[in-house]
Amino acid sequence: MKLSIGAARWRVALACAIGLVAAAASAPALVNNVAPRVSNHAASPRANVPPTLTHQIRQTRAAAHPLQTPAMRGFPYDWSHRHLVFSRPSSPAIAQRLERDPRYRIQQAWRARQARSGSVDEYMQALDTLATQLAAGDATRKVLVPSWGKPLPHHRLRGDWSVNLGSGAKVGAGRYPAKFSFDPIGAPNCTSDFVVFNTGLNGTSGVSGKASIIAYNNLYATTCATPVPKTYWAYNTGGPITNSIVLSSDGAQVAFVHGGSPASLVILRPIAGQGSATAVTSAPSPDVLCTSSGCTGSFASYASCKINPAKSCQLTLPFSSSTLSNDSNSAPFYDFTNDIIYVGDDGGFLHKFTGVFDGSPAEVTASPWPATMHANAVLTSPVPDSGVTPSVVYVAVATGGSSSGLLDYASTATPGLRTESAALGFNPIDIADAPIVDPSAGKIYVAVGNDGTTRGLNSGVFVFGRGFSSIGTGLTSSSGIEAKVGTASNLTPIALYNGDFDNAYYNSSSGIGNLYVCGNTGGDPTIYQVPITINNIGSVRAGPNLTSASTTCSPVTEIYNTSASSGPFDWIFLSVQGSGSLSNCGSTGCLMNFIVTAWQASNPYSLNQEILDTNLNLQKVTTAGTSGTTHPTWNTTGTTADNSVVWTSQGSMSANAASRAETGGTSGIVIDNTSSTTGASQVYFSTLTNGTCATSGTSGGCAVQASQSGLSQ
């Protein structure tokens, strides 16, 4: 069956590739002009193409290649990629439906480029990546497809940086910076690859001004010329940005929320070179400031300003006056397919903005928008399920009283008709993070810091099935199924942030694998492994304690890296805000990574490869060979025979964990690449409190790049 599906995908990929190469040959100028980039006060490619012509090009491509639309002109990576995830589709029909979601295609490309074996299916994924790159509108770009059956070269990765965002600056606990990679399956790009950090500061302009948002490029120490990094742009946007930010598909625009009553959606078109080398020296405002009533200067609208290559533009759209609510916990979710942003507020309303990056941005205020998800409740970030049509938006709700903490969902077509889960939490802070939605498997995951007295005062992850109801059982019930991950903090509530899945889950059909969570909010933070089955969860396993005192963990971020020496490695990254107990933590806030590579049956293993066994101990190959067909009985010390492989126990998963002290812990962590280029497989985050930023040599909140392999400097 895999062979037949693979063959079909070969035909689709090859047809798309041939067709698009032919189109590129006949009209190369038009192809190249559809890939806008932020310019440095010079004419950008997009500026030469009228909006109507750009639209016609997109329509022509959409008609010719419906499963490849909308075209992605780069690979943005933001908070939403940690919340809308995709296990392997269980059927070609599901895969075809999900192909319309660019986040699915991005994840597919990420996983495909990591392929090591010579299986037909993995090679088809590599060809799918080729087709996606060509459909993105740059058929003349060199595209690298891994050779069938040949492993990627291994390198020990080095280098990182830590630069000052300003005193008191931080992305925020549970919030994420955003990364843009122009061509992530090719060589790192020192100009077009960049990372964006909000600072949480109320920006000011002038000599001693502060940036509310700042971007860096020239990121890679072993590839790019010094200094590394460089400030790409930095702005005072007129208000603090305390939630995660989102990027357009080409990286040319960024959207975020300014708090207030009401809060505002802000859309920024920056220009490279605006903003000083350090955020604390000078932070200009954008050249053109727009609101829903018009713009300053000679431009009548944001849409007319943003096509001018010499002007940076900002549009501020206050949330509907009928709501008058702040937004303390909801980041904007960008729908690439329909150019729509959904965002919640603190009054229980879900807002919808159209024409965000490709049209004329405006909020939809015709009934039933803004839609009431739960009156007078703080909403988390909305996460749409792209596996159904029309899409369904899931929002976790923080409320007061006995019903504190719920999961609500509603169709984007009829948002007034919502479905509400049973009460999941006990305190208003108990649901601090947005849900994780897996459209492939039809599963939704909600992290709850305290599940309440009737459930035993646990920290827990609740798993729901798509379309749950009050009369269902198991995953389809409004109560879901709970995986308990330690005791809850009751007197002083502590947030439980989302975990992440291992590579086995992402490569399985129907979402089968492991979820790793940093739980136990009522005690020392602890890693938990939650086995996920088709319709249930397995026995939760507790791993090592990470601190010597009760504190808060960051969310967990996973990456499957085949480029590191002795790989492949399936790594998870997380931090604790204080009292870190690993060797390099120094009893302070600490960033950590752990190997969670799953054992595979009938798999050839090389010398020194490592996996995590069912006891949450590391096992290293000391005699190369091929594993057996079933899990061996793992010995906790000494060796374990596994067909022709011999494993030697390395002890707890914390034994070889990498760690590094980070003052106050870190924000959410975003991934760079799994590149074979030395110094280009990195992670990005900000610290949560002031410290000495090594590259800048000054004290403040630090924007940090660290290598995945060893977190080395």
Side-chain angles (χ1 to χ4, degrees), residues 640-709:
T640 298
D642 174 22
N643 195 26
S644 59
V645 181
V646 175
W647 302 92
T648 299
S649 176
Q650 307 298 299
S652 166
M653 64 188 297
S654 62
N656 289 336
S659 60
R660 52 182 281 166
E662 295 293 350
T663 308
T666 78
S667 67
I669 299 158
V670 297
I671 300 296
D672 190 311
N673 277 310
T674 57
S675 173
S676 58
T677 300
T678 303
S681 292
Q682 310 294 102
V683 297
Y684 300 86
F685 53 87
S686 87
T687 57
L688 297 182
T689 58
N690 286 346
T692 300
C693 309
T695 305
S696 301
T698 55
S699 179
C702 304
V704 183
Q705 180 205 73
S707 70
Q708 295 168 25
S709 180

Side-chain angles (χ1 to χ4, degrees), residues 30-329:
L30 296 185
V31 170
N32 291 333
N33 280 337
V34 178
R37 305 253 289 280
V38 179
S39 66
N40 189 10
H41 296 283
S44 67
R46 184 172 187 168
N48 299 326
V49 182
T52 53
L53 180 56
T54 301
H55 181 65
Q56 290 172 357
I57 295 170
R58 289 179 185 163
Q59 284 188 321
T60 301
R61 286 194 181 135
H65 308 285
L67 295 184
Q68 296 293 341
T69 56
M72 299 299 290
R73 292 150 289 172
F75 284 68
Y77 185 98
D78 57 43
W79 75 270
S80 64
H81 295 264
R82 304 266 26 98
H83 290 265
L84 186 61
V85 305
F86 303 89
S87 54
R88 186 185 295 274
S90 58
S91 71
I94 295 175
Q96 185 176 22
R97 183 162 62 246
L98 293 176
E99 282 282 355
R100 300 179 184 275
D101 189 326
R103 284 179 181 82
Y104 170 74
R105 302 207 310 270
I106 289 172
Q107 181 181 294
Q108 195 179 42
W110 273 62
R111 299 280 163 183
R113 68 199 170 102
Q114 298 158 6
R116 288 172 55 84
S117 75
S119 73
V120 172
D121 195 62
E122 285 174 326
Y123 190 55
M124 292 308 109
Q125 289 186 25
L127 291 174
D128 285 348
T129 304
L130 170 61
T132 299
Q133 284 289 303
L134 293 174
D138 194 349
T140 61
R141 186 190 312 159
K142 183 179 180 181
V143 179
L144 303 180
V145 179
S147 300
W148 193 358
K150 295 182 180 179
L152 296 173
H154 299 304
H155 299 277
R156 177 61 61 183
L157 307 179
R158 303 292 182 193
D160 75 351
W161 44 257
S162 174
V163 294
N164 191 352
L165 291 169
S167 180
K170 59 184 177 182
V171 169
R175 274 60 167 167
Y176 295 82
K179 173 68 168 55
F180 182 82
S181 297
F182 183 66
D183 186 6
I185 67 170
N189 191 310
C190 295
T191 301
S192 299
D193 293 2
F194 62 91
V195 60
V196 185
F197 297 84
N198 63 293
T199 68
L201 301 175
N202 197 350
T204 57
S205 298
V207 175
S208 58
K210 297 180 179 179
S212 52
I213 189 168
I214 185 167
Y216 298 97
N217 67 349
N218 206 60
L219 301 174
Y220 313 109
T222 57
T223 302
C224 304
T226 56
V228 174
K230 294 179 180 179
T231 300
Y232 198 23
W233 46 260
Y235 293 102
N236 161 30
T237 61
I241 307 166
T242 58
N243 291 312
S244 302
I245 57 183
V246 294
L247 295 170
S248 62
S249 63
D250 57 6
Q253 299 176 76
V254 58
F256 46 87
V257 170
H258 279 169
S261 295
S264 299
L265 178 70
V266 183
I267 307 167
L268 174 68
R269 204 296 299 273
I271 289 180
Q274 287 192 339
S276 63
T278 57
V280 294
T281 302
S282 177
S285 298
D287 295 326
V288 179
L289 300 175
C290 302
T291 66
S292 53
S293 59
C295 302
T296 61
S298 59
F299 295 97
S301 68
Y302 175 80
S304 61
C305 175
K306 68 182 179 181
I307 62 174
N308 186 302
K311 298 292 183 180
S312 55
C313 317
Q314 178 179 306
L315 173 62
T316 301
L317 295 173
F319 288 9
S320 171
S321 59
S322 64
T323 59
L324 296 177
S325 293
N326 187 25
D327 172 13
S328 65
N329 199 36

Side-chain angles (χ1 to χ4, degrees), residues 389-427:
T389 304
S391 63
V392 171
V393 177
Y394 289 89
V395 177
V397 177
T399 65
S402 59
S403 62
S404 182
L406 307 165
L407 177 66
D408 282 3
Y409 73 88
S411 167
T412 55
T414 55
L417 302 176
R418 63 180 177 82
T419 299
E420 183 175 280
S421 76
L424 305 178
F426 186 71
N427 303 292

